[in-house]
Amino acid sequence: MLDRYFLRELAQTVAATAIVLLAIMAGTSFAHVLQQVANGSFPASVMFQVLGLNMLDGLSTLVPLAAFLGVLQALGRMYRESEMHVLASSGMGASGLLRPVSLLALGVAILVGVVSLWLGPWAARTSDQLVAAANRSVIAAGLDAGRFTELPGKGGIIFVDELSRDGSTLGNTFIATERTGHDNVPHLKLVTGKHGQLYQETDGSGRYLAIWDGWQYDIPLGADNWRRMKYERNDASLDSIQSDEDDEEDPAHSLTLAQLLKTDNPDTRAEFAWRTISPFMTVVLLALALPLSRQSPREPRFGRLFLAVLSFYFYYLLLAICRGQIIKGHWHHSFPMWIVTFLVFAVAVRMFQNQYAERKPRKADA
């Protein structure tokens, strides 16, 4: 009965904490995705799909933190309301608390393992493919006849006066793009044509825009050496319109587990180490929550919570430093990350043992 009670209380608090953290992550992710859309990294038509996939990818970090804070809050409430003291006086020892927390830790660790090893990378790959496919398609960028449309990735603007129902055939077309020439001078490139057509390679890997019967102008800004060329057909690759790359993007993160094992470089080694250690990080955090949650009824409510957040940040920072050393090639294995994890787990076990250790009665002074 006690195990069911503890599991119910812990699971409810962890779920509530996860919902709050998920709402916070949704807000920050939405702001980031909205900024990318505003910068032209990808069209607004795929914004919510990318947002959902990014949130799924972030669960490998959110779930351990939610479990850690949830267990800390649930057990802390029981200590403040003297429930734990009553249960201890009734004969419940350390094992009565370890069983439900261990079951919860096992379930959460399995969930984190599934997300970090499979679902997270799948979400990252799907998001990249979705953005790439949208950026290859002018139609997905919101092209509409009779108005100017910004090309994905700040590639320029396009205007057509007519557009077929399937979006593959264009009427009178105008395209304006800006680039930096070999002389480091910005060049404005204008392309006009009487009609155009969108087409793909036979394998579907590339997307191109063909324009017939028009003119192309190359205008260096601030100079008078303009160039004009008349053409019968002008083909432009839409793949050359690249989206803004995120400096913090990790290509190894979207690789499958089999691809990580086959590829041997610092990035893949660091990614594999991070994925494999995430489930064990969950177990360590829940073990650390046991001693940190114990408090007296008069103790400040958020005192232990602040200490717990600092502990999580310190542990996560140590793992991130170890991962950074692997990425830089200074370390060729993940052994230091496992040492840090084992040391934090040993500290948590020692703190828990000290709290439940039998204390010898003091002898009265004669």
Side-chain angles (χ1 to χ4, degrees):
M1 294 295 295
L2 282 179
D3 290 348
R4 292 182 179 180
Y5 172 71
F6 275 113
L7 277 176
R8 184 176 64 253
E9 292 295 322
L10 294 176
Q12 289 177 353
T13 310
V14 169
T17 307
I19 292 174
V20 173
L21 293 180
L22 194 62
I24 296 173
M25 186 178 72
T28 55
S29 298
F30 181 74
H32 180 65
V33 170
L34 197 62
Q35 182 182 8
Q36 288 180 306
V37 172
N39 292 337
S41 297
F42 51 83
S45 59
V46 297
M47 179 176 64
F48 290 103
Q49 295 95 315
V50 172
L51 175 63
L53 292 170
N54 288 348
M55 291 180 62
L56 178 60
D57 188 20
L59 289 180
S60 59
T61 302
L62 183 143
V63 172
L65 179 59
F68 177 57
L69 296 179
V71 171
L72 193 76
Q73 292 278 44
L75 294 182
R77 180 190 61 80
M78 293 181 181
Y79 277 111
R80 288 192 307 273
E81 296 177 358
S82 300
E83 288 186 44
M84 299 298 295
H85 302 289
V86 172
L87 292 174
S89 62
S90 302
M92 189 195 78
S95 59
L97 187 59
L98 283 176
R99 282 194 304 270
V101 175
S102 299
L103 292 175
L104 179 66
L106 179 61
V108 175
I110 292 175
L111 175 61
V112 173
V114 171
V115 173
S116 63
L117 293 176
W118 292 286
L119 288 183
W122 171 83
R125 288 194 306 274
T126 305
S127 177
D128 293 341
Q129 294 169 2
L130 193 63
V131 171
N135 283 342
R136 285 197 300 266
S137 174
V138 181
I139 308 305
L143 181 63
D144 192 12
R147 69 181 182 90
F148 290 92
T149 302
E150 184 177 0
L151 293 172
K154 296 183 179 180
I157 58 172
I158 182 173
F159 176 88
V160 297
D161 63 348
E162 294 181 359
L163 187 65
S164 64
R165 184 179 297 272
D166 60 359
S168 61
T169 304
L170 290 64
N172 289 308
T173 304
F174 170 82
I175 299 178
T177 58
E178 185 177 344
R179 62 179 178 84
T180 302
H182 298 291
D183 51 359
N184 293 326
V185 176
H187 285 240
L188 184 63
K189 182 180 178 182
L190 304 177
V191 180
T192 64
K194 292 184 178 180
H195 59 93
Q197 184 176 6
L198 288 168
Y199 67 95
Q200 285 183 299
E201 293 180 351
T202 55
D203 58 358
S205 59
R207 194 169 183 87
Y208 299 87
L209 174 62
I211 306 176
W212 283 271
D213 301 329
W215 293 86
Q216 177 174 309
Y217 301 86
D218 188 6
I219 307 173
L221 300 183
D224 56 0
N225 54 334
W226 295 15
R227 292 189 300 172
R228 186 180 69 169
M229 180 183 66
K230 183 175 176 57
Y231 62 85
E232 181 178 352
R233 173 171 172 165
N234 190 346
D235 289 70
S237 172
L238 297 181
D239 292 337
S240 62
I241 304 172
Q242 298 293 338
S243 60
D244 295 340
E245 295 293 337
D246 190 352
D247 294 335
E248 298 180 357
E249 184 178 358
D250 184 9
H253 181 63
S254 59
L255 297 178
T256 63
L257 189 59
Q259 290 172 333
L260 285 180
L261 295 175
K262 293 179 181 178
T263 309
D264 187 16
N265 59 58
D267 290 336
T268 56
R269 285 196 295 266
E271 179 65 23
F272 180 76
W274 190 263
R275 291 187 194 181
T276 53
I277 209 167
S278 294
F280 296 94
M281 179 176 64
T282 305
V283 176
V284 171
L285 288 175
L286 291 186
L288 192 62
L290 287 174
L292 291 178
S293 62
R294 186 166 185 172
Q295 52 188 293
S296 62
R298 296 184 178 181
E299 191 173 342
R301 182 174 183 178
F302 298 104
R304 290 297 182 102
L305 182 61
F306 179 73
L307 179 61
V309 171
L310 288 180
S311 302
F312 170 80
Y313 176 76
F314 181 70
Y315 175 44
Y316 193 88
L317 182 62
L318 288 177
L319 293 181
I321 291 175
C322 294
R323 183 184 182 182
Q325 294 299 315
I326 298 176
I327 293 177
K328 293 178 181 178
H330 298 164
W331 296 343
H332 299 285
H333 46 74
S334 60
F335 188 65
M337 299 178 70
W338 291 103
I339 291 180
V340 170
T341 299
F342 176 77
L343 289 177
V344 176
F345 182 74
V347 170
V349 172
R350 185 60 180 172
M351 292 172 60
F352 184 75
Q353 288 178 342
N354 289 339
Q355 289 179 354
Y356 281 87
E358 295 183 2
R359 290 174 173 81
K360 297 180 179 181
R362 294 183 180 180
K363 296 182 180 180
D365 296 335

